[in-house]
Amino acid sequence: MKTKLYTLITGSSEGFGKALAIECAKRKMNLILVSLADSGLNQLAEFIIQNYNVDVIPIEKDLSIEENCMMLFKEVEQMNLSVNMLINNVGLGSTMFFKEGNIDFYQKQVKLNVMVTTLLSSLFLDMLKTNMPSHILNVSSLSCFFYLAKKQVYGATKSYVYSFSKSLRAELSSDGINVSVICPGGMNTNPTTIMTNKSNHWLARQSIMNPEQVASIAIKGLLNRDEIIIPGFMNKLFLVIDKLLPAFFIKMIANSHVNKFKSYNIGNRNHELLPDRIR
């Protein structure tokens, strides 16, 4: 009898995480969905069960608390669930000058974007080795390739995710574990980001994608064992332009554009941390 395998997705109740969950369900993957309490996770789980006929286990946890990461792993073990795909999506986004933030916010941002990805990858590593073929998908950002005003801490955390993923892939390839990293650009994931995306200049607006589009590209790239997944033609084009034009010219254009954005962060609503939505 074959072992029933599960895909674990963090930050899965809304935005890109929700889109990833539905995309995986369409592909008949059983799911362990992790998100905050009262974030709509149980309703999403029920919707997926009814519409896609897969097994869904919702687990409500605030992963910015390190002990909860440990508890998540122990709960999965205690339920005798076998994970063969780990999608580290949870994170905390922001667009604001460094002086506008505070240390509590930045600590949570680093914990969610850096430490949770690292810790869960470590905790589930032996399980992934046992349940081959297995995959890890880490969610970085197109901003990891650029150095933008108002994206200093966020961009740095996503640069970590990118570097960590590439190095981990090199280490685990001999074990048969695929590690992929996706670097999305802007997505229409919630009212705040939609309004911000509409304020972009014409060229930038052409690169904005819906999370459902990105999720489909992400899972396809992961199953194809792609190392780096850049969704969308325009986002790929931006990377090519970045290599062709002088650095000072790119920096001038990018910072001039980002400085027009109103400052905001995603994550302090009702004193909660929400799934990563700002790419």
Side-chain angles (χ1 to χ4, degrees), residues 59-276:
I59 300 178
E60 295 182 330
K61 285 277 187 294
D62 180 352
L63 296 179
S64 67
I65 301 170
E66 184 175 326
E67 291 78 9
N68 285 348
C69 295
M70 308 289 189
M71 288 175 62
L72 168 63
F73 176 69
K74 289 178 181 177
E75 284 186 29
V76 170
E77 275 196 321
Q78 289 167 358
M79 287 187 284
N80 293 315
L81 303 176
S82 298
V83 172
N84 77 321
M85 187 176 295
L86 172 64
I87 300 181
N88 289 307
N89 168 70
V90 71
L92 187 55
S94 63
T95 298
M96 59 185 175
F97 289 118
F98 186 64
K99 64 183 179 182
E100 294 176 318
N102 59 65
I103 193 63
D104 290 337
F105 177 82
Y106 292 135
Q107 284 179 330
K108 288 179 179 179
Q109 191 167 47
V110 172
K111 283 178 182 177
L112 276 177
N113 296 11
V114 172
M115 289 308 302
V116 174
T117 293
T118 307
L119 185 54
L120 291 184
S121 297
S122 176
L123 287 169
F124 283 93
L125 185 57
D126 287 340
M127 187 180 291
L128 292 170
K129 288 180 179 179
T130 303
N131 299 308
M132 306 292 288
S134 56
H135 302 266
I136 298 174
L137 176 65
N138 292 328
V139 178
S140 180
S141 165
L142 201 68
S143 66
C144 79
F145 299 107
F146 304 95
Y147 308 102
L148 302 172
K150 295 191 176 182
K151 289 287 186 182
Q152 61 308 108
V153 177
Y154 176 76
T157 63
K158 291 305 184 179
S159 292
Y160 172 90
V161 172
Y162 177 80
S163 178
F164 171 69
S165 301
K166 293 195 68 175
S167 294
L168 192 62
R169 178 186 177 92
E171 285 187 28
L172 298 182
S173 60
S174 60
D175 295 315
I177 299 176
N178 169 57
V179 180
S180 298
V181 58
I182 183 165
C183 303
M187 286 190 281
N188 288 319
T189 51
N190 66 84
T192 302
T193 55
I194 290 171
M195 288 299 296
T196 301
N197 292 337
K198 286 181 178 179
S199 72
N200 285 338
H201 56 70
W202 180 86
L203 184 61
R205 288 200 303 273
Q206 307 316 302
S207 71
I208 303 301
M209 301 179 70
N210 291 322
E212 295 78 15
Q213 294 174 281
V214 181
S216 176
I217 294 168
I219 301 305
K220 180 180 179 180
L222 180 66
L223 295 177
N224 286 340
R225 309 179 80 87
D226 294 344
E227 180 176 14
I228 304 165
I229 305 167
I230 309 292
F233 171 78
M234 291 303 298
N235 291 322
K236 293 184 179 74
L237 181 61
F238 289 155
L239 292 179
V240 172
I241 292 173
D242 180 56
K243 290 180 172 61
L244 295 177
L245 295 179
F248 78 90
F249 187 68
I250 293 292
K251 187 182 297 184
M252 180 179 65
I253 295 174
N255 285 335
S256 173
H257 174 60
V258 173
N259 283 337
K260 294 177 182 178
F261 289 169
K262 292 183 178 180
S263 296
Y264 62 90
N265 63 65
I266 299 296
N268 284 338
R269 190 178 70 189
N270 298 327
H271 306 288
E272 293 180 344
L273 299 174
L274 302 179
D276 186 7

